[in-house]
Amino acid sequence: MSDYNATIIAEFRANGGRVDSAGFGTHLVLLHTVGARTGQPRVNPAMSLRDGDAWLVVASAAGAEKDPAWAVNLRAHPHTEIEVATAHGEAQTVPVTATELDGEDYETAFARFVRRSSAFANYQRRAGARRLPVFRLAPWE
């Protein structure tokens, strides 16, 4: 895990799901994934947007040529958990199922991220032919 991610995760947990140092506020989730090859548990922060009772995340990797490991892990193990901020200023763990969006659902969701931060449009340009995956993280029912 990078020092940056470790710092963001520590701030998230210390402040009930709020991360102001990097400008996320409460628009961040901590993704708990299982390594597709290693089977080892992983935790990664990701900017998120609420989508009804679910959360949307973009596997941008800041526009890298390939998907971040957590996206590969979600595809291999879509039943997972996230840590989220609650309305009461606490962090809560929620069991979720990750679904990769496609078609119109993808276009609508990605446009929401671009409206929230133009950095996502820059990441897509930087990624070239790689389409930045968007996942919907829906609570287990």
Side-chain angles (χ1 to χ4, degrees):
M1 174 185 321
S2 73
D3 288 342
Y4 175 78
N5 280 358
T7 300
I8 296 297
I9 290 167
E11 184 177 351
F12 180 99
R13 290 178 172 158
N15 296 313
R18 184 168 194 86
V19 178
D20 291 323
S21 67
F24 290 109
T26 57
H27 293 284
L28 188 78
V29 297
L30 299 185
L31 291 165
H32 290 249
T33 61
V34 175
R37 289 189 328 261
T38 67
Q40 295 298 308
R42 308 279 186 225
V43 178
N44 293 97
M47 203 284 227
S48 70
L49 297 175
R50 286 304 302 254
D51 187 44
D53 67 343
W55 293 262
L56 300 171
V57 293
V58 176
S60 67
E65 291 180 7
K66 59 184 193 171
D67 292 342
W70 65 258
V72 175
N73 296 344
L74 281 180
R75 289 180 187 120
H77 304 284
H79 301 292
T80 191
E81 295 180 335
I82 58 174
E83 293 176 58
V84 300
T86 69
H88 307 295
E90 301 169 345
Q92 172 185 350
T93 300
V94 179
V96 295
T97 299
T99 305
E100 190 167 354
L101 300 183
D102 203 3
E104 187 175 322
D105 291 337
Y106 173 88
E107 297 300 331
T108 300
F110 190 75
R112 286 184 60 199
F113 278 93
V114 171
R115 283 193 302 275
R116 173 82 172 118
S117 174
S118 62
F120 287 100
N122 293 334
Y123 297 156
Q124 182 57 75
R125 277 191 290 281
R126 198 177 302 150
R130 177 176 80 92
R131 185 178 84 160
L132 305 181
V134 176
F135 292 88
R136 185 170 193 271
L137 307 170
W140 291 358
E141 297 190 19

